[in-house]
Amino acid sequence: SDPERGVRVHFVSGDHAQGGRLAAEYLFGQGHRKIGLLTGPRDSMDGRLRVQGFSRFFKERGIEILPQHIASGDFQEEKAREAVQRLFARGRPDITAIFCCNDNMAYGAIRKLWELGFSCPKDISVVGYDDDKMAADFDPSLTTIHVPLYELAVQGSRQLVQFLDKKTGKKDFYTHVLVPVQLVIRKSVRQLE
Protein backbone atom coordinates (compact mmCIF):
# COMPACT_ATOMS: atom_id res chain seq x y z
CA SER A 1 0.00 0.00 0.00
CA ASP A 2 1.15 3.48 -0.69
CA PRO A 3 0.12 6.14 1.80
CA GLU A 4 -0.93 9.55 0.55
CA ARG A 5 2.19 11.45 -0.41
CA GLY A 6 1.35 14.33 1.94
CA VAL A 7 1.04 12.06 4.99
CA ARG A 8 4.28 11.73 6.93
CA VAL A 9 4.46 8.12 8.13
CA HIS A 10 6.88 5.25 8.22
CA PHE A 11 5.23 2.43 6.33
CA VAL A 12 5.91 -1.30 5.85
CA SER A 13 3.78 -3.40 3.51
CA GLY A 14 3.76 -6.48 1.36
CA ASP A 15 4.30 -5.70 -2.33
CA HIS A 16 0.66 -6.23 -3.24
CA ALA A 17 0.85 -4.97 -6.82
CA GLN A 18 3.57 -7.57 -7.42
CA GLY A 19 1.43 -10.19 -5.66
CA GLY A 20 -1.46 -9.53 -8.03
CA ARG A 21 0.94 -9.80 -10.93
CA LEU A 22 2.31 -13.12 -9.66
CA ALA A 23 -1.22 -14.55 -9.50
CA ALA A 24 -1.92 -13.32 -13.05
CA GLU A 25 1.35 -14.71 -14.41
CA TYR A 26 0.61 -18.11 -12.92
CA LEU A 27 -2.93 -18.32 -14.25
CA PHE A 28 -1.75 -17.12 -17.66
CA GLY A 29 1.02 -19.73 -17.65
CA GLN A 30 -1.57 -22.40 -16.89
CA GLY A 31 -3.53 -21.36 -19.99
CA HIS A 32 -6.25 -19.24 -18.35
CA ARG A 33 -7.38 -16.21 -20.34
CA LYS A 34 -10.98 -15.74 -19.16
CA ILE A 35 -10.84 -14.76 -15.52
CA GLY A 36 -13.30 -13.82 -12.81
CA LEU A 37 -12.13 -11.39 -10.14
CA LEU A 38 -13.35 -11.02 -6.55
CA THR A 39 -12.20 -7.71 -5.12
CA GLY A 40 -11.93 -6.40 -1.58
CA PRO A 41 -13.57 -3.33 -0.05
CA ARG A 42 -13.29 -0.10 -2.04
CA ASP A 43 -11.35 1.58 0.75
CA SER A 44 -8.69 -1.16 0.91
CA MET A 45 -5.51 0.11 -0.69
CA ASP A 46 -3.98 -3.39 -0.43
CA GLY A 47 -6.95 -4.80 -2.34
CA ARG A 48 -6.74 -2.12 -5.02
CA LEU A 49 -3.03 -2.76 -5.51
CA ARG A 50 -3.67 -6.51 -5.89
CA VAL A 51 -6.28 -5.82 -8.56
CA GLN A 52 -4.03 -3.30 -10.33
CA GLY A 53 -1.09 -5.70 -10.51
CA PHE A 54 -3.35 -8.52 -11.69
CA SER A 55 -5.23 -6.49 -14.28
CA ARG A 56 -2.13 -4.74 -15.61
CA PHE A 57 -0.49 -8.08 -16.43
CA PHE A 58 -3.45 -9.16 -18.58
CA LYS A 59 -3.85 -5.70 -20.14
CA GLU A 60 -0.20 -5.83 -21.26
CA ARG A 61 -1.13 -8.99 -23.16
CA GLY A 62 -4.23 -7.49 -24.74
CA ILE A 63 -6.61 -9.46 -22.51
CA GLU A 64 -9.48 -7.62 -20.82
CA ILE A 65 -11.10 -8.78 -17.62
CA LEU A 66 -14.73 -8.11 -18.43
CA PRO A 67 -16.71 -5.89 -16.02
CA GLN A 68 -19.41 -8.56 -15.67
CA HIS A 69 -16.72 -10.95 -14.39
CA ILE A 70 -15.69 -8.61 -11.54
CA ALA A 71 -17.53 -8.59 -8.21
CA SER A 72 -16.79 -7.30 -4.73
CA GLY A 73 -16.49 -9.83 -1.94
CA ASP A 74 -15.29 -7.31 0.70
CA PHE A 75 -12.64 -9.81 1.90
CA GLN A 76 -15.47 -11.87 3.50
CA GLU A 77 -16.32 -15.51 2.83
CA GLU A 78 -20.10 -15.01 2.84
CA LYS A 79 -19.92 -11.97 0.55
CA ALA A 80 -17.73 -13.98 -1.82
CA ARG A 81 -20.37 -16.70 -1.94
CA GLU A 82 -22.95 -14.04 -2.86
CA ALA A 83 -20.60 -12.61 -5.50
CA VAL A 84 -20.12 -16.02 -7.11
CA GLN A 85 -23.89 -16.51 -7.06
CA ARG A 86 -24.25 -13.22 -8.98
CA LEU A 87 -21.52 -14.21 -11.46
CA PHE A 88 -23.38 -17.46 -12.17
CA ALA A 89 -26.93 -16.02 -12.03
CA ARG A 90 -27.42 -16.31 -15.82
CA GLY A 91 -25.75 -19.68 -16.22
CA ARG A 92 -22.06 -20.41 -16.30
CA PRO A 93 -20.03 -17.31 -17.14
CA ASP A 94 -17.33 -17.65 -19.75
CA ILE A 95 -14.50 -18.00 -17.21
CA THR A 96 -12.02 -20.74 -16.38
CA ALA A 97 -10.53 -19.23 -13.20
CA ILE A 98 -11.27 -16.80 -10.38
CA PHE A 99 -8.68 -14.64 -8.64
CA CYS A 100 -9.78 -13.74 -5.10
CA CYS A 101 -8.01 -10.84 -3.38
CA ASN A 102 -7.82 -12.79 -0.13
CA ASP A 103 -8.09 -16.40 1.04
CA ASN A 104 -11.39 -15.92 2.89
CA MET A 105 -13.06 -15.02 -0.39
CA ALA A 106 -11.39 -17.97 -2.11
CA TYR A 107 -12.89 -20.37 0.45
CA GLY A 108 -16.33 -18.84 -0.06
CA ALA A 109 -15.96 -18.97 -3.84
CA ILE A 110 -14.93 -22.63 -3.85
CA ARG A 111 -17.76 -23.60 -1.49
CA LYS A 112 -20.31 -21.74 -3.61
CA LEU A 113 -18.94 -23.30 -6.81
CA TRP A 114 -19.44 -26.72 -5.24
CA GLU A 115 -23.04 -25.83 -4.30
CA LEU A 116 -23.65 -24.76 -7.90
CA GLY A 117 -22.34 -28.09 -9.18
CA PHE A 118 -18.85 -26.99 -10.24
CA SER A 119 -15.60 -28.56 -9.11
CA CYS A 120 -12.43 -26.70 -8.25
CA PRO A 121 -10.06 -27.03 -10.05
CA LYS A 122 -11.64 -29.34 -12.64
CA ASP A 123 -14.28 -26.83 -13.78
CA ILE A 124 -13.06 -23.53 -12.34
CA SER A 125 -9.60 -22.80 -10.91
CA VAL A 126 -9.25 -20.48 -7.91
CA VAL A 127 -6.30 -18.46 -6.58
CA GLY A 128 -6.37 -16.72 -3.20
CA TYR A 129 -4.16 -14.20 -1.45
CA ASP A 130 -2.52 -14.17 2.02
CA ASP A 131 -1.62 -17.86 2.52
CA ASP A 132 -3.52 -17.95 5.79
CA LYS A 133 -3.41 -20.92 8.16
CA MET A 134 -6.26 -22.82 6.43
CA ALA A 135 -4.89 -22.59 2.88
CA ALA A 136 -2.73 -25.72 2.93
CA ASP A 137 -5.43 -27.89 4.55
CA PHE A 138 -8.42 -26.64 2.56
CA ASP A 139 -9.94 -29.01 -0.01
CA PRO A 140 -8.53 -28.48 -2.54
CA SER A 141 -5.39 -27.00 -1.01
CA LEU A 142 -5.35 -23.37 -2.07
CA THR A 143 -2.91 -21.84 -4.53
CA THR A 144 -2.31 -18.40 -3.04
CA ILE A 145 0.06 -15.50 -2.57
CA HIS A 146 2.08 -15.76 0.64
CA VAL A 147 2.43 -12.54 2.61
CA PRO A 148 5.37 -12.88 5.07
CA LEU A 149 3.75 -11.51 8.22
CA TYR A 150 6.78 -12.24 10.40
CA GLU A 151 9.07 -10.27 8.05
CA LEU A 152 6.55 -7.41 7.99
CA ALA A 153 6.59 -7.32 11.80
CA VAL A 154 10.40 -7.36 11.89
CA GLN A 155 10.65 -4.55 9.34
CA GLY A 156 7.96 -2.53 11.14
CA SER A 157 9.72 -2.93 14.48
CA ARG A 158 13.03 -1.93 12.90
CA GLN A 159 11.45 1.20 11.41
CA LEU A 160 9.91 2.11 14.77
CA VAL A 161 13.18 1.70 16.67
CA GLN A 162 15.03 3.85 14.11
CA PHE A 163 12.32 6.47 14.29
CA LEU A 164 12.45 6.61 18.09
CA ASP A 165 16.26 6.70 18.23
CA LYS A 166 17.04 10.37 18.76
CA LYS A 167 20.42 10.05 17.01
CA THR A 168 19.25 8.30 13.84
CA GLY A 169 15.52 9.04 13.83
CA LYS A 170 14.22 10.42 10.55
CA LYS A 171 11.23 12.52 11.50
CA ASP A 172 11.15 14.85 8.52
CA PHE A 173 10.03 12.35 5.88
CA TYR A 174 8.46 8.94 5.68
CA THR A 175 10.03 5.67 4.68
CA HIS A 176 8.16 3.06 2.73
CA VAL A 177 9.40 -0.53 2.77
CA LEU A 178 7.89 -3.08 0.39
CA VAL A 179 8.41 -6.69 1.44
CA PRO A 180 8.31 -9.26 -1.39
CA VAL A 181 5.42 -11.72 -1.51
CA GLN A 182 5.52 -15.22 -3.05
CA LEU A 183 3.27 -17.47 -5.07
CA VAL A 184 2.50 -20.77 -3.30
CA ILE A 185 1.34 -23.42 -5.78
CA ARG A 186 -1.05 -26.02 -4.43
CA LYS A 187 -4.00 -27.85 -5.98
CA SER A 188 -6.76 -25.28 -6.69
CA VAL A 189 -5.56 -24.45 -10.22
CA ARG A 190 -5.46 -26.80 -13.17
CA GLN A 191 -3.55 -26.38 -16.38
CA LEU A 192 -5.72 -25.96 -19.45
CA GLU A 193 -4.84 -27.94 -22.54
Side-chain angles (χ1 to χ4, degrees):
S1 316
D2 196 11
E4 295 293 325
R5 290 289 172 194
V7 178
R8 296 174 184 268
V9 295
H10 297 278
F11 197 79
V12 178
S13 172
D15 189 345
H16 297 300
Q18 180 62 23
R21 186 174 188 88
L22 289 172
E25 287 174 351
Y26 181 66
L27 285 172
F28 185 85
Q30 297 300 301
H32 297 276
R33 305 293 184 269
K34 298 176 180 179
I35 312 291
L37 180 58
L38 295 188
T39 66
R42 290 177 190 229
D43 63 350
S44 169
M45 188 167 293
D46 289 351
R48 288 196 310 265
L49 288 168
R50 293 166 190 184
V51 169
Q52 286 172 9
F54 188 83
S55 300
R56 187 173 295 135
F57 175 86
F58 280 104
K59 186 175 182 180
E60 289 167 0
R61 280 143 190 83
I63 299 169
E64 180 185 3
I65 299 173
L66 299 175
Q68 63 266 30
H69 294 164
I70 301 171
S72 175
D74 285 341
F75 289 158
Q76 298 175 33
E77 183 173 339
E78 189 54 40
K79 297 249 180 157
R81 292 167 62 94
E82 294 167 8
V84 169
Q85 179 67 49
R86 288 191 304 275
L87 287 176
F88 284 75
R90 298 184 191 130
R92 181 178 173 165
D94 188 21
I95 60 174
T96 61
I98 300 173
F99 172 52
C100 301
C101 286
N102 81 348
D103 290 347
N104 284 334
M105 291 192 300
Y107 306 140
I110 291 170
R111 288 179 172 133
K112 189 59 173 183
L113 287 169
W114 182 81
E115 286 177 15
L116 295 171
F118 298 102
S119 170
C120 173
K122 182 182 171 196
D123 299 315
I124 306 279
S125 294
V126 175
V127 174
Y129 201 107
D130 287 330
D131 194 23
D132 75 14
K133 60 185 177 181
M134 277 182 35
D137 296 325
F138 196 74
D139 185 22
S141 59
L142 186 63
T143 295
T144 186
I145 302 298
H146 175 76
V147 179
L149 296 179
Y150 178 80
E151 179 63 23
L152 288 172
V154 168
Q155 289 287 347
S157 298
R158 189 173 293 142
Q159 291 294 329
L160 179 60
V161 168
Q162 288 176 355
F163 176 74
L164 294 174
D165 185 338
K166 296 197 185 310
K167 295 176 187 166
T168 62
K170 297 177 182 177
K171 297 182 181 177
D172 295 330
F173 60 91
Y174 72 82
T175 57
H176 187 178
V177 177
L178 285 180
V179 177
V181 296
Q182 294 178 301
L183 173 70
V184 178
I185 299 170
R186 294 193 180 105
K187 295 183 178 177
S188 63
V189 175
R190 82 173 179 98
Q191 184 165 9
L192 299 182
E193 287 139 28

